Amino acid sequence: MRQMFVDGRFCESSGSDQLEVRDPATGELVETVLAGTAADVDAAVGAAHAAFPGWWDTAAARRGEALHEATTHARDHLEELARQLTQEQGKPLREARLEVGRCLETLDHYAGLAKNLRGGYVPNLDEGTYGVVLRRPLGVVGAIVPWNFPTTLLANKLGPAIVTGNTVVAKPAETTPLTTLRLAELLHEGGIPAGVFNVVPGTGPVAGAALVAHPLVRKIAFTGSTAVGKQTMASAAEHLKRVTLELGGSDPMIICDDADLDRAVSAASVGRFFNCGQACLATKRLFVFERVAEEVIDKLAGKAAKLRIGPGTADRVLMGPLHAERHRARIEEQVADAVDRGAKVLHGGARPRGEPYDRGWFYEPTLLLEPPADSRVALEETFGPALPIWRVAGLDEAIERANASPYGLGSAIWTRDLHRASVAAERLEAGYTWVNSVNKVYDELPFGGVKQSGFGKEHGVEALDYYQETKSLVVKH
């Protein structure tokens, strides 16, 4: 049975409740993990708080070197981490390797930025007086991470937090704690000091709530649903904690009639069905100009038909199962609602049958044509392999319908027309817009949503601002 990782070692929980980690491809029990209590969170925060002064006193360049050395050590175990991730999360092993590799790249990226941390100097405020802008870390940071990308979404928080001198207590999702616990152990073995990075598995209502409410935690970095994000922000407000929230999305993609249709269709397929559609930044609504709609639909249906579904460890599998039975049930309800309201199923719309599908939580890649505007797939976040498609007369209609959503995380447009691309970039209500590009997030660029999709930025040098306080110093000589 796994335990929590606190102050550089695995230790027992103060409670007896257990979390069951199950293989989404088979439903079989992988391992049990002790569920952290409020007392366990308090112990982890205490360890992080005790480690904070020494970590802050460590030169910024040395903090970056330590993170780089630890990341290099973890990279030697990439295959082990990827296989553990596939087992607990369900994604194909190829995708798991990409995720773990991406996690380590992000940590390395912020390790490299450690030498570039800067304050500021303001001369001649008054006669013989100058000002200095100091940057200092916040203290203990709480990181709450979901199950769909347990390692990369952790790295988005961990990297900027620790290079700026903070210490971290992470709470992974209750269904995917194993890879995070092992990563914490490896980073400590690689040189991250005890107490700088701690992991307490547990449920949201117990461990998560205790972390958000703890008075020594100065900032909460949360990725998850919009509903829980709102609760997190409200709880954090009790102590005026800093927050960054990366929440739900219903990303639109627009395919214009002058686009490279083969590349656009490929991007739509990858954007919708990667990780079985379980991504905040997945393509979740497709708007296609009428003149090319039939060609796009035919090509996309052909792509969906070629996706090999199966357990993540099987050869040549391109799409694994949904993460949990309740997630498949939700997608089935959303698809049924669309069909009942008049949508046409172009492909999929059912569970695959027979071995090995009957034991796991598999669902076919699904394409839905013209669901009504008040259907669930149009209004809600579809966190699974179902893509609604609408024909539009032109760019104005496409943008208007794309923006008719409470979410604003990512967006995309495919066109050869620079004017169309510029109009979309300015008018689409989203924190990220891809033009003729697959949905890839870059460490170099700030990322964060608008509207109901979140608050604050991850990635980019901008992320460092959310883990530091600014202090003004006035010196008269």
Side-chain angles (χ1 to χ4, degrees):
M1 182 182 300
R2 294 288 182 95
Q3 304 160 323
M4 60 183 187
F5 189 83
V6 174
D7 206 19
R9 61 188 178 87
F10 287 105
C11 51
E12 294 283 346
S13 169
S14 63
S16 58
D17 289 347
Q18 299 176 7
L19 306 173
E20 291 187 344
V21 179
R22 294 190 174 273
D23 185 340
T26 64
E28 296 174 352
L29 183 66
V30 175
E31 196 166 342
T32 56
V33 178
L34 289 169
T37 64
D40 297 328
V41 170
D42 183 63
V45 172
H49 184 67
F52 171 63
W55 186 239
W56 180 21
D57 282 344
T58 302
R62 178 57 197 143
R63 292 197 298 262
E65 290 168 2
L67 181 57
H68 172 69
E69 291 164 4
T71 301
T72 300
H73 176 67
R75 189 172 283 110
D76 292 338
H77 298 264
L78 188 149
E79 186 66 18
E80 172 199 346
L81 292 168
R83 289 188 177 276
Q84 180 73 87
L85 180 57
T86 288
Q87 195 172 34
E88 66 177 337
Q89 200 278 339
K91 64 186 62 186
L93 189 55
R94 180 182 68 89
E95 292 185 10
R97 291 187 184 110
L98 288 173
E99 179 182 336
V100 174
R102 185 76 177 85
C103 162
L104 300 176
E105 288 173 7
T106 296
L107 294 179
D108 245 350
H109 176 80
Y110 282 102
L113 289 180
K115 292 182 178 181
N116 295 315
L117 296 175
R118 296 285 188 274
Y121 167 69
V122 183
N124 302 324
L125 291 172
D126 278 315
E127 184 178 353
T129 305
Y130 65 89
V132 178
V133 180
L134 304 178
R135 307 297 295 273
R136 54 173 290 164
L138 304 174
V140 179
V141 170
I144 299 177
V145 183
W147 50 264
N148 56 332
F149 293 96
T151 65
T152 53
L153 295 175
L154 171 66
N156 293 349
K157 301 155 181 55
L158 184 62
I162 65 175
V163 298
T164 50
N166 302 279
T167 54
V168 176
V169 177
K171 192 208 82 66
E174 58 194 82
T175 54
T176 56
L178 302 179
T179 311
T180 303
L181 286 165
R182 178 60 173 144
L183 179 62
E185 181 182 28
L186 290 168
L187 292 176
H188 176 60
E189 290 174 359
I192 296 299
V196 172
F197 176 36
N198 311 272
V199 179
V200 180
T203 65
V206 177
L211 186 60
V212 175
H214 200 291
L216 291 180
V217 174
R218 295 307 310 144
K219 187 256 171 69
I220 294 293
F222 173 88
T223 300
S225 70
T226 296
V228 179
K230 290 178 179 179
Q231 295 171 11
T232 300
M233 191 171 189
S235 179
E238 290 294 320
H239 292 281
L240 294 178
K241 299 181 193 292
R242 295 276 194 94
V243 294
T244 47
L245 304 173
E246 198 260 280
L247 307 178
S250 187
D251 293 7
M253 176 184 286
I254 299 169
I255 300 180
C256 301
D257 52 7
D258 63 339
D260 183 327
L261 297 186
D262 287 333
R263 291 179 60 217
V265 166
S266 179
S269 179
V270 172
R272 173 67 282 190
F273 301 122
F274 186 82
N275 199 32
C276 200
Q278 301 168 120
C280 299
L281 274 174
T283 299
K284 294 172 184 165
R285 293 176 296 144
L286 184 62
F287 300 97
V288 187
F289 281 27
E290 289 176 345
R291 192 169 70 85
V292 295
E294 294 308 313
E295 185 177 356
V296 167
I297 289 168
D298 288 345
K299 289 177 181 290
L300 194 52
K303 288 276 188 184
K306 292 178 181 179
L307 288 174
R308 182 179 175 87
I309 310 170
T313 54
D315 291 339
R316 303 189 309 280
V317 163
L318 295 176
M319 195 177 86
L322 285 146
H323 180 60
E325 191 169 14
R326 68 183 183 277
H327 301 152
R328 180 173 64 180
R330 179 178 172 85
I331 284 294
E332 288 177 327
E333 291 168 1
Q334 290 173 320
V335 171
D337 171 76
V339 173
D340 289 345
R341 291 167 176 267
K344 179 182 178 181
V345 178
L346 301 172
H347 185 273
R351 304 179 184 185
R353 298 297 182 182
E355 277 291 328
Y357 307 118
D358 292 343
R359 294 182 295 150
W361 301 306
F362 295 93
Y363 194 73
E364 294 175 343
T366 298
L367 303 175
L368 301 168
L369 183 61
E370 302 286 356
D374 61 350
S375 63
R376 291 181 61 183
V377 294
L379 298 175
E380 299 175 356
E381 181 177 27
T382 51
F383 221 65
L387 178 62
I389 305 169
W390 292 274
R391 305 179 184 92
V392 292
L395 185 61
D396 288 342
E397 181 187 355
I399 293 175
E400 180 181 1
R401 296 179 69 174
N403 288 341
S405 167
Y407 299 106
L409 199 57
S411 59
I413 182 170
W414 285 81
T415 178
R416 290 185 170 93
D417 188 319
L418 181 59
H419 176 69
R420 283 175 169 174
S422 299
V423 168
E426 293 177 359
R427 290 173 51 193
L428 284 170
E429 296 171 351
Y432 228 95
T433 297
W434 290 272
V435 178
N436 299 330
S437 174
V438 295
N439 297 22
K440 181 179 178 181
V441 174
Y442 294 88
D443 285 325
E444 295 86 350
L445 298 175
F447 162 67
V450 300
K451 299 194 290 188
Q452 299 287 305
S453 288
F455 176 85
K457 298 297 181 184
E458 295 187 329
H459 296 287
V461 295
E462 289 81 359
L464 300 173
D465 294 338
Y466 291 89
Y467 294 89
Q468 297 179 95
E469 293 280 12
T470 299
K471 180 177 180 179
S472 294
L473 174 66
V474 177
V475 179
K476 187 173 181 64
H477 56 82

